[in-house]
């Protein structure tokens, strides 16, 4: 496993991270024992970056991680936690809260659920339109000074917000969707991060399974939020799966899988870009780890660009109502 510094001021993290969201029902039912085995296998393979959100399964994900880490050395794991999304008892989404007092409240509950004394990287999952980002980051900065948080990250925000946040406290990384078919950060955001010494932890590198080579049109089951995603609906999914077919030819020529090509492409975008893979089963984890051995030549990268040109995806990455809440989408145009 190769290790990279997370931004100019961050910790050393593995060249690939494990995103744990899918282990708590966001993609439909998951197997608890398999999830824990996957976390254990990822740690054994040298992955030290585990990403979660306090709203994944309304706390379920943090408690699952705590169970998986029982008996492990705390200093061997980098815990990255998002907060702020509000849920109701039925699992619905009811807003976002990043007020300073709410920030400290969410943190207190996360520390308890995870069973730890500090969180390595703490970040609001979105920009709260009602709270200046300076106030939110100031509150987390207070928690850094108090020892409850080691580093501050951001998620899904645009360049103007990144600059405001970094003026309050050093930011180690921006977590944002980045894949062959989600390349909006290349317009402006990636440049801003590099200027400020902020790494990118890229989620959705397989576009939630769409470009994994495993997705079939009838895959989604009950509780799978992908059924609400425009890229998985109607004619869009057929057009997007055609891109996967084109990618398959390149993967076959290299003797690797489509998923490995897609992950390797993200990793090849720079030492400051760390793919976060959402494996929730051992076989998917092992496939993703294999991507670390894939060397993409300039010819390979050109072939991939021809197969899946920038902007080729059909449909937006979230439904219209959710897209409106993404500062990263508005911010990328500034």
């Amino acid at each position: 496993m190769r290790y990279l510094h997370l931004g100019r001021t961050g910790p050393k993290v593995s060249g690939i991270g494990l995103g744990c969201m899918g282990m708590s029902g966001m993609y439909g039912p998951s197997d608890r024992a398999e999830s824990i085995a996957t976390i254990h296998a990822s740690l054994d393979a040298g992955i030290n970056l585990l990403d979660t959100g306090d709203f994944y399964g309304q706390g379920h994900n943090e408690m699952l991680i705590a169970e998986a880490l029982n008996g492990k050395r705390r200093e061997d794991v980098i815990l990255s936690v998002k907060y702020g999304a509000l849920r109701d008892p039925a699992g619905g989404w009811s807003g976002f809260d990043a007020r300073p007092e709410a920030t400290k409240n969410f943190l207190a509950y996360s520390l308890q659920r995870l069973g730890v004394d500090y969180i390595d990287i703490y970040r609001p999952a979105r920009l709260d339109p009602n709270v200046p980002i300076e106030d939110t980051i100031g509150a987390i900065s207070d928690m850094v000074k108090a020892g409850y948080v080691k580093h501050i990250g951001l998620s899904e925000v645009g360049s103007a917000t990144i600059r405001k946040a970094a003026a309050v406290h050093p930011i180690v990384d921006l977590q944002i969707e980045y894949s062959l078919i989600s390349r909006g950060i290349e317009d402006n955001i990636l440049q801003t991060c590099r200027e400020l010494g902020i790494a990118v932890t890229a989620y959705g590198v397989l576009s939630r399974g769409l470009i994994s080579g495993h997705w079939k049109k009838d895959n989604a089951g009950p509780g799978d939020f992908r059924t609400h995603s425009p890229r998985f609906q109607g004619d869009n999914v057929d057009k997007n799966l055609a891109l996967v077919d084109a990618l398959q030819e390149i993967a076959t020529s290299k003797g690797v899988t489509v998923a490995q090509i897609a992950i390797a492409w993200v990793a090849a975008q720079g030492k400051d870009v760390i793919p976060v893979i959402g494996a929730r089963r051992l076989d998917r984890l092992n496939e993703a780890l294999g991507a670390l051995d894939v060397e993409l030549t300039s010819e390979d990268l050109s072939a991939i660009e021809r197969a899946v040109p920038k902007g080729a995806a059909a449909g937006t990455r979230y439904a219209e109502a959710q897209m409106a809440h993404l500062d990263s989408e508005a911010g990328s145009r500034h």
Side-chain angles (χ1 to χ4, degrees):
M1 180 62 66
R2 63 173 183 157
Y3 293 88
L4 307 163
H5 278 290
L6 196 65
R8 202 175 285 153
T9 59
K12 214 170 225 189
V13 299
S14 46
I16 198 168
L18 181 68
C20 300
M21 180 182 80
M23 300 174 181
S24 294
M26 300 290 283
Y27 292 132
S30 57
D31 183 287
R32 187 178 192 86
E34 182 79 7
S35 295
I36 290 173
T38 301
I39 293 172
H40 287 166
S42 70
L43 295 172
D44 291 343
I47 292 175
N48 68 349
L49 179 62
L50 299 183
D51 183 78
T52 184
D54 64 6
F55 46 88
Y56 294 165
Q58 292 95 304
H60 173 277
N61 205 242
E62 290 180 321
M63 292 188 287
L64 179 77
I65 289 171
E67 187 178 342
L69 295 183
N70 187 32
K72 305 290 184 184
R73 291 200 322 159
R74 174 67 185 90
E75 59 268 30
D76 291 343
V77 182
I78 304 294
L79 290 173
S80 167
V81 180
K82 291 180 291 299
Y83 76 92
L86 304 175
R87 308 289 300 268
D88 63 33
W93 303 87
S94 53
F96 194 85
D97 192 352
R99 291 172 301 144
E101 57 269 39
T103 293
K104 294 172 184 179
N105 175 77
F106 285 130
L107 174 61
Y109 281 75
S110 282
L111 290 166
Q112 184 69 28
R113 283 189 293 260
L114 286 162
V116 296
D117 297 325
Y118 65 90
I119 287 169
D120 298 276
I121 311 163
Y122 200 54
R123 71 184 84 241
R126 296 287 186 268
L127 175 68
D128 186 334
N130 301 311
V131 180
I133 190 65
E134 295 91 338
D135 292 358
T136 299
I137 299 304
I140 307 177
S141 182
D142 289 344
M143 297 295 92
V144 172
K145 293 184 184 80
Y148 297 116
V149 173
K150 295 288 187 188
H151 305 281
I152 303 179
L154 294 169
S155 176
E156 287 291 354
V157 291
S159 290
T161 302
I162 294 168
R163 291 184 189 282
K164 289 176 185 175
V168 175
H169 191 280
I171 304 297
V172 296
D173 72 317
L174 170 70
Q175 189 172 111
I176 196 163
E177 188 166 350
Y178 189 33
S179 73
L180 271 167
I181 63 171
S182 294
R183 293 171 61 179
I185 70 167
E186 293 175 0
D187 295 341
N188 182 277
I189 291 172
L190 186 54
Q191 179 184 340
T192 300
C193 287
R194 286 178 167 158
E195 177 191 329
L196 298 172
I198 297 170
V200 168
T201 39
Y203 75 87
V205 293
L206 299 178
S207 294
R208 309 186 186 281
L210 184 58
I211 59 171
S212 66
H214 303 298
W215 179 262
K216 302 286 187 294
K217 285 172 69 172
D218 56 354
N219 273 22
D224 193 326
F225 84 106
R226 287 174 290 196
T227 56
H228 304 291
S229 169
R231 289 185 175 172
F232 288 84
Q233 295 171 341
D235 293 340
N236 287 349
V237 71
D238 294 317
K239 290 174 183 173
N240 292 329
L241 289 175
L243 298 174
V244 179
D245 292 339
L247 208 54
Q248 179 68 65
E249 292 183 26
I250 300 167
T252 301
S253 72
K254 289 189 71 70
V256 299
T257 68
V258 169
Q260 288 169 339
I261 282 280
I263 295 167
W265 180 89
V266 173
Q269 301 311 303
K271 290 183 178 178
D272 54 352
V273 179
I274 291 97
V276 176
I277 49 108
R280 54 180 176 155
R281 290 175 9 202
L282 287 168
D283 56 341
R284 296 289 192 255
L285 172 67
N286 290 330
E287 181 180 30
L289 287 167
L292 294 170
D293 298 322
V294 178
E295 293 285 339
L296 296 179
T297 65
S298 56
E299 290 81 9
D300 291 333
L301 291 168
S302 296
I304 292 168
E305 189 72 35
R306 287 192 298 273
V308 188
K310 184 176 179 179
T316 52
R317 56 196 184 99
Y318 290 100
E320 192 176 339
Q322 290 171 286
M323 290 291 284
H325 295 297
L326 290 180
D327 182 64
S328 51
E329 291 294 321
S332 65
R333 293 191 288 271
H334 298 327

